[in-house]
Amino acid sequence: MKNILIASTSTLANENYLDYLLPELQLHFQNCNTILFIPYARPGGISHKEYTAMVRLAFAKINKEIIGIHEFENTKLAVKKAEGIFTGGGNTFVLVSQLYKNNLMETLTDVVKNGTPYFGTSAGSNICGLTMQTTNDMPIVYPPSFQTLGLVPFNLNPHYLDPDTTSTHMGETRETRIKEYHAFNTVPVLGLREGSWLDIKGDSITLKGNLTARLFRQNQSPEELESGTDLSFVK
Amino acid sequence: MKNILIASTSTLANENYLDYLLPELQLHFQNCNTILFIPYARPGGISHKEYTAMVRLAFAKINKEIIGIHEFENTKLAVKKAEGIFTGGGNTFVLVSQLYKNNLMETLTDVVKNGTPYFGTSAGSNICGLTMQTTNDMPIVYPPSFQTLGLVPFNLNPHYLDPDTTSTHMGETRETRIKEYHAFNTVPVLGLREGSWLDIKGDSITLKGNLTARLFRQNQSPEELESGTDLSFVK
């Protein structure tokens, strides 16, 4: 049975890393002593080692041990044997390139579909969709494909941001970008605001946090979904 | 001799499409009756035909005729024979994919290096750099490569936006994204604010408009460059 948390962001403004999610994470990883951390998204270009050290500190608050996947020679085996898995945020292009380079995409999909608890934030959430094509990140490396884990039958836009109606900036709003995506693609896109997350248990996909999420479908007006909604109808 | 205008944006807030650049465009295209328009970036997903009609209206104000490249059967020949070329903004991934699909990247580079006047805005400016890897756009289609025209020996970030110091949003700032680019790449990046453009005549690259531009280099602090600066030292 799938057991997945997909969070828009790791950190809320003026809070420490992961703090707002720690009660949820304690429940989510209740049967794990050790969690495999995938630091491949390298926020700000930090090393796998530095990133893992930071995550280790946060998870120590709920008495979970963190092991970085880069500490293993056989990363595929590390994924297969993991009690739980966390993929952190950063750059989605860098993350996806490294997952393909290490030939991990399929294995990761398999273990999570078979019940290994998974937690993703930001880029680590983006890869839970069918493709990474609604990421906000810059294409700083060229991945062999945009296809991702497909743990949910739609795409995600983490850090979803409403248009700033006072702005004179002429760059596209997030909504415009997602509408452009739908000029070329049929997959629904869920805009997940900071502070929201999806809690997936088997076939149910529940929107959590205090905010609504914005659902975009091709040729339809966007729809606001209330916290608590079961999103299993979205496909 | 190269003769290129690279603009951050087509449109300033509360102005009509291309209005602020019309005096500059009149000079730039003074020897052209007809300009070949490349509508491949399809902003908001609009069709090549719709996009070309909009551009035709703007250029009529300076008595230039616009022909869309999609109106030609042999697009490579259209580029070779063009008196002047304009590539409009939209989605850089869509633009670059279509240029590769039509096998136009090399031809376009050749004619512009040999003196055909070129004008780009936004996505059409992005492709003037060595790669499209500092675009702000969503990866809504998968291009065969991120390599672009290389008309300047650096990369561009159009619609460059300074960090909003009052924001509580935790998504990366533009500066953070460009710094991440430099964790993996050595090519300098020029952040071009809306209202700025580069005027390239042969080997000189002059920053124009009222604003400064922000230059990012690997392992160096960003630098503000005054309007009027010759950027031919950036490589």
Side-chain angles (χ1 to χ4, degrees):
Chain A
M1 193 185 90
K2 282 194 279 191
N3 186 14
I4 306 171
L5 290 186
I6 298 177
S8 172
T9 185
S10 61
T11 314
L12 293 181
N14 309 314
E15 288 195 10
N16 289 318
Y17 184 67
L18 292 181
D19 262 6
Y20 80 105
L21 282 168
L22 286 179
E24 199 75 14
L25 291 173
Q26 194 145 28
L27 269 172
H28 186 64
F29 289 121
Q30 59 187 329
N31 298 321
C32 313
N33 293 311
T34 298
I35 296 158
L36 182 73
F37 176 57
I38 301 179
Y40 291 161
R42 299 181 59 189
I46 62 170
S47 70
H48 296 155
K49 194 176 164 184
E50 289 170 293
Y51 196 8
T52 303
M54 173 181 145
V55 169
R56 189 167 283 140
L57 281 177
F59 275 86
K61 296 180 191 171
I62 54 168
N63 300 309
K64 301 294 174 190
E65 194 187 339
I66 288 289
I67 311 183
I69 192 169
H70 61 288
E71 297 168 34
F72 292 86
E73 194 144 333
N74 187 335
T75 52
K76 200 178 272 202
L77 195 63
V79 168
K80 280 184 183 163
K81 290 200 163 182
E83 294 177 58
I85 298 171
F86 169 37
T87 306
N91 185 289
T92 311
F93 292 86
V94 175
L95 168 60
V96 166
S97 297
Q98 192 67 42
L99 287 173
Y100 275 111
K101 194 173 170 189
N102 291 6
N103 203 12
L104 289 174
M105 212 53 103
E106 204 180 323
T107 310
L108 200 49
T109 304
D110 286 348
V111 301
V112 179
K113 284 194 171 165
N114 285 323
T116 304
Y118 178 92
F119 167 48
T121 60
S122 197
S125 294
N126 235 312
I127 60 169
C128 295
L130 290 168
T131 78
M132 55 163 285
Q133 289 179 266
T134 48
T135 176
N136 310 308
D137 297 334
M138 264 189 187
I140 61 179
V141 298
Y142 184 72
S145 166
F146 286 159
Q147 277 208 292
T148 47
L149 304 174
L151 301 173
V152 291
F154 48 84
N155 274 358
L156 292 142
N157 181 252
H159 299 284
Y160 182 76
L161 197 59
D162 292 291
D164 175 357
T165 52
T166 66
S167 172
T168 57
H169 187 72
M170 301 300 285
E172 291 89 345
T173 65
R174 194 67 60 77
E175 179 154 332
T176 302
R177 294 180 191 284
I178 296 171
K179 281 184 180 166
E180 277 183 0
Y181 171 80
H182 278 142
F184 299 89
N185 302 276
T186 57
V187 172
V189 178
L190 186 70
L192 211 51
R193 295 185 177 87
E194 294 180 347
S196 294
W197 67 93
L198 300 181
D199 185 357
I200 300 174
K201 296 279 180 287
D203 292 331
S204 87
I205 306 174
T206 309
L207 175 63
K208 295 218 173 160
N210 296 324
L211 304 171
T212 58
R214 196 160 177 86
L215 177 64
F216 299 86
R217 290 174 185 269
Q218 195 181 39
N219 302 325
Q220 293 185 29
S221 297
E223 194 180 340
E224 287 292 327
L225 303 172
E226 298 294 325
S227 180
T229 304
D230 184 344
L231 301 178
S232 55
F233 71 94
V234 180
K235 52 189 76 169
Chain B
M1 193 183 89
K2 280 193 280 192
N3 187 15
I4 306 170
L5 290 186
I6 298 176
S8 172
T9 185
S10 61
T11 315
L12 293 181
N14 310 314
E15 288 194 10
N16 289 319
Y17 183 68
L18 292 181
D19 262 7
Y20 81 104
L21 282 168
L22 287 179
E24 198 75 15
L25 291 173
Q26 193 145 31
L27 269 171
H28 186 64
F29 289 121
Q30 60 187 327
N31 297 321
C32 312
N33 293 312
T34 298
I35 296 160
L36 182 72
F37 176 57
I38 301 180
Y40 292 162
R42 300 182 59 189
I46 61 170
S47 70
H48 296 155
K49 194 176 165 183
E50 289 171 293
Y51 198 8
T52 303
M54 171 181 146
V55 169
R56 190 167 281 139
L57 280 178
F59 275 86
K61 296 180 190 172
I62 55 169
N63 300 309
K64 302 294 174 190
E65 194 187 339
I66 289 289
I67 310 184
I69 192 169
H70 61 288
E71 298 169 33
F72 292 86
E73 193 144 335
N74 187 334
T75 52
K76 200 179 269 200
L77 195 65
V79 168
K80 280 184 183 162
K81 291 200 161 180
E83 294 178 57
I85 297 170
F86 169 38
T87 307
N91 185 289
T92 311
F93 291 85
V94 176
L95 169 60
V96 166
S97 297
Q98 191 67 41
L99 286 173
Y100 275 111
K101 194 173 169 190
N102 291 6
N103 202 14
L104 289 175
M105 212 53 106
E106 203 180 323
T107 310
L108 199 49
T109 305
D110 286 348
V111 302
V112 179
K113 284 194 171 165
N114 285 325
T116 305
Y118 178 91
F119 167 47
T121 60
S122 197
S125 294
N126 235 312
I127 61 169
C128 295
L130 291 168
T131 77
M132 55 162 285
Q133 290 179 266
T134 50
T135 177
N136 310 309
D137 297 334
M138 263 188 188
I140 61 178
V141 299
Y142 184 72
S145 165
F146 286 160
Q147 276 208 294
T148 46
L149 304 174
L151 300 172
V152 292
F154 48 86
N155 274 359
L156 292 142
N157 182 253
H159 301 284
Y160 182 76
L161 197 58
D162 292 292
D164 175 358
T165 53
T166 65
S167 172
T168 57
H169 188 71
M170 301 300 285
E172 291 88 347
T173 66
R174 195 67 60 79
E175 180 154 332
T176 302
R177 294 181 192 282
I178 296 171
K179 280 185 180 167
E180 277 184 1
Y181 171 80
H182 278 142
F184 299 89
N185 302 277
T186 59
V187 171
V189 179
L190 186 70
L192 211 51
R193 294 185 178 87
E194 294 179 348
S196 293
W197 67 94
L198 301 180
D199 185 357
I200 301 174
K201 295 277 179 290
D203 292 331
S204 87
I205 305 174
T206 309
L207 176 62
K208 295 217 171 158
N210 296 323
L211 303 170
T212 59
R214 196 159 177 86
L215 177 63
F216 299 86
R217 290 173 184 272
Q218 194 180 42
N219 302 324
Q220 292 184 30
S221 296
E223 195 180 339
E224 286 293 325
L225 303 171
E226 297 294 325
S227 180
T229 302
D230 184 345
L231 301 179
S232 55
F233 70 94
V234 180
K235 53 190 72 167

